[in-house]
Structure formats: C-alpha cells, structure tokens
Amino acid sequence: MKLSRRLIPDVTTLQAFECAARHGSFTQAAHELNLTQSAVSRQIKDLEEQLGVLLFERVRQRVVLSDDGRRFLPEVRKLLHQTEETMLRAMASASSEHSLSIATLPTFGSRWLTPRIPAFLSEHPGTIVNIASRSKPFDFDEENFDLAIHYGQPVWARAACSYLCSEVILPAASPELLKTWNFSDPKDLETAPLLHLATRPKLWAQWFELNGGSADTAYRGHRFDQFAMVIESAVAGLGVALLPHYLIEQELASGRLAVVFDRPMETENSYYLVVPEGKLENPLSQAFRAWIVNQVPDRR
C-alpha cells in the first residue's frame, strides 16, 4: 500500500507536541528541545492544521491538552517509542552480519532462555540478538520481531506456530517452610499457605482434584501476576507454589526451593515458537528453531 506523504508528520513535530504536553508549556518544551518558543508554537500550529483539530487550549499562563490532544498523545508516544526502538536496533546490529529479534514471555526469557543464549551464539558467531518480553500475542506488522515464544494455544494471526514443549508444574516451597509444616500427604496442603499466579487462578484446584484433595480451599492465598514473583515469594517462605520445573532449576539445585510432593501436573496449554508469515524462510530464524528444540529434552 502506497503511503501518502501528506499524512506522515515530521518526527520533530511530534516530539514538540509530546514535550509540550508533558510540560504543559511551549516555553519549557522549547528549552528541553533547544528551540525557540516561537518554533515550538509554529510546529504545534502546523500539526493542528494537518490534523484539522485543536490540540491545546490556553488556560492562564499554561497550555492544556484538548480532548483531541489527550486522545492523540498516547498514539504519538507509542510512535516515538517505536521510532527510537527501530533506530537503536539498527545501530546495535550495524557492525554485525546477522541479527535476530525475539519476543518472549518475561519469566521464561529471564530464567530459561537467556542463560542458554550463549550456546546459540557460539554456534552462530557474529549474530546480535534483541530479546524483549511480551506476555500476550501482538501484531508482527507493528512490532518488528523475527519470532516469538508463546504459551497458550497454537493460534496467532498471520504467523505460523510450531510446538516447542508442554508445561509440567510441581508444588515447591522453601526448606524453612517445609520444616514448619512437615507435610506428609498432598491433602495437608489444603490448610497450607498457597501462592497463585493471577493469570492462572485454577491451577491449585486442578492439582488438588488430581491428587485426592478438595478444591474448596484452593483459591485462598497470595496472588502475583508473573511467575518470577511467585518464585521469589516461595523462596521467601510465603507459601507453597505450583511452578514449572524448568523455571526453578537454579533454586532446586541450590536448595533455596524443594519439591513438596513429586506429583507433576501437565497444564492445558503448551509453548510454541511463532514466526511471522513473511519471515518463515529466514535462515537465522530456522536455525534458532532447530537449536531451541534441542534445548528441550522432554518435549512430550
């Protein structure tokens, strides 16, 4: 699709708008941007004429965003951020023959993927990787990633999903908490302090049902929105958590966490490697897929 140059604003004009909105002042915006107040005022006026709306209203000695300005500001900030990210990514890979941009789940990326990346880079010297966390599916047309690691179902618009592995969780707790509670049967956990991942609130109920317990008390306890926080809370002794084994390899090896009962439960979703349709033939993406599959010993 051919873009209309008339509809594409100058980045410096958008910067002037964002800066003026943040300060509520053309003068302060001019100071930050090293421009004159009249130059900033002219840029805002040109942008308003291009859009056909009033972006600011004058209130006493300040400028205040209009309703249209408030609606426009988040989109401008998103565009400026994407522009900066694009430039930084290009600069980072300027001296490299190859680059690979990966979107990954936050805790998966920090605890499992990142420690293994050196092994991939040793097989592909000269490659620069850009790894960013994303918790949910996104539009590859808007975010320029070569691939993504996704937990859920193999569904992603305009992309191909390939199975990576299933997820198996186990109840884990700190040694100090285990000394205090002295669990001998899975049913003992019904009265224990439980830790929950907010995005998967039914995990404990499902685990109790599989292990002869009652789901009636399975929803009480502290809640966190990322596995990383659940893990740290378990290490701190706040309670017992249902955690994927691969995310707590270091804690188990060091003794900071211990498996309470060796009663694994496979979750209903799996991990997938997602590649946008336009990059399916990318040799580096294909190489990464072959490499990461070999990093998962039990794919089930």
Side-chain angles (χ1 to χ4, degrees):
M1 182 180 66
K2 185 177 180 180
L3 298 176
S4 172
R5 293 176 62 89
R6 184 180 64 84
L7 297 177
I8 302 176
D10 189 280
V11 172
T12 57
T13 300
L14 295 181
Q15 287 179 311
F17 166 71
E18 190 281 331
C19 195
R22 181 160 31 89
H23 289 294
S25 166
F26 289 176
T27 301
Q28 291 185 45
H31 179 73
E32 179 178 323
L33 298 172
N34 197 27
L35 298 171
T36 65
Q37 191 272 347
S38 60
V40 171
S41 180
R42 184 170 61 253
Q43 287 178 321
I44 300 300
K45 182 179 180 181
D46 290 344
L47 183 59
E48 289 176 328
E49 290 178 352
Q50 185 178 16
L51 295 172
V53 298
L54 185 68
L55 296 174
F56 290 96
E57 297 173 353
R58 290 191 175 276
V59 178
R60 298 183 178 87
Q61 300 300 315
R62 293 178 57 81
V63 289
V64 179
L65 282 172
S66 66
D67 290 341
D68 288 318
R70 279 192 292 271
R71 285 189 290 267
F72 188 48
L73 181 59
E75 297 298 325
V76 169
R77 285 176 171 161
K78 179 180 177 181
L79 181 59
L80 290 174
H81 176 72
Q82 289 176 339
T83 301
E84 182 181 47
E85 282 286 307
T86 299
M87 291 296 294
L88 291 173
R89 196 174 298 169
M91 293 166 65
S93 60
S95 60
S96 173
E97 296 181 7
H98 306 287
S99 65
L100 190 67
S101 294
I102 306 167
T104 180
L105 300 157
T107 308
F108 182 93
S110 63
R111 288 180 165 266
W112 190 90
L113 178 61
T114 304
R116 289 171 168 81
I117 282 294
F120 174 75
L121 296 180
S122 68
E123 297 178 15
H124 301 274
T127 298
I128 294 294
V129 294
N130 169 58
I131 301 177
S133 61
R134 295 292 185 275
S135 298
K136 298 179 181 179
F138 54 85
D139 190 339
F140 276 106
D141 291 337
E142 294 184 2
E143 300 200 56
N144 188 29
F145 287 102
D146 297 306
L147 51 87
I149 296 169
H150 165 60
Y151 173 81
Q153 296 296 318
V155 178
W156 197 304
R158 297 183 297 282
C161 299
S162 57
Y163 175 79
L164 185 58
C165 63
S166 61
E167 181 183 67
V168 177
I169 58 176
L170 290 161
S174 68
E176 291 75 17
L177 186 139
L178 292 179
K179 291 177 184 177
T180 301
W181 284 82
N182 192 28
F183 301 117
S184 59
D185 187 274
K187 291 183 180 180
D188 294 341
L189 293 178
E190 293 178 8
T191 57
L194 304 179
L195 304 178
H196 301 267
L197 183 65
T199 54
R200 305 194 209 170
K202 297 180 180 180
L203 285 184
W204 270 113
Q206 294 167 352
W207 190 87
F208 279 131
E209 289 175 2
L210 285 176
N211 291 279
S214 171
D216 293 341
T217 60
Y219 298 97
R220 54 183 174 69
H222 304 294
R223 298 181 183 277
F224 307 88
D225 70 353
Q226 288 191 16
F227 263 136
M229 289 188 281
V230 179
I231 293 169
E232 291 304 318
S233 298
V235 170
L238 288 182
V240 184
L242 283 172
L243 298 167
H245 187 278
Y246 68 87
L247 290 184
I248 54 174
E249 293 171 335
Q250 295 181 6
E251 284 76 12
L252 292 176
S254 66
R256 297 173 70 207
L257 285 178
V259 173
V260 182
F261 294 106
D262 190 13
R263 301 287 185 92
M265 181 181 77
E266 187 171 323
T267 58
E268 58 186 357
N269 292 317
S270 299
Y271 286 89
Y272 296 89
L273 196 65
V274 186
V275 181
E277 292 175 347
K279 297 184 178 181
L280 290 173
E281 303 303 319
N282 183 328
L284 197 55
S285 294
Q286 293 177 342
F288 183 84
R289 181 188 183 282
W291 170 81
I292 197 172
V293 164
N294 289 328
Q295 299 300 306
V296 184
D298 183 10
R299 302 185 67 206
R300 298 207 176 188

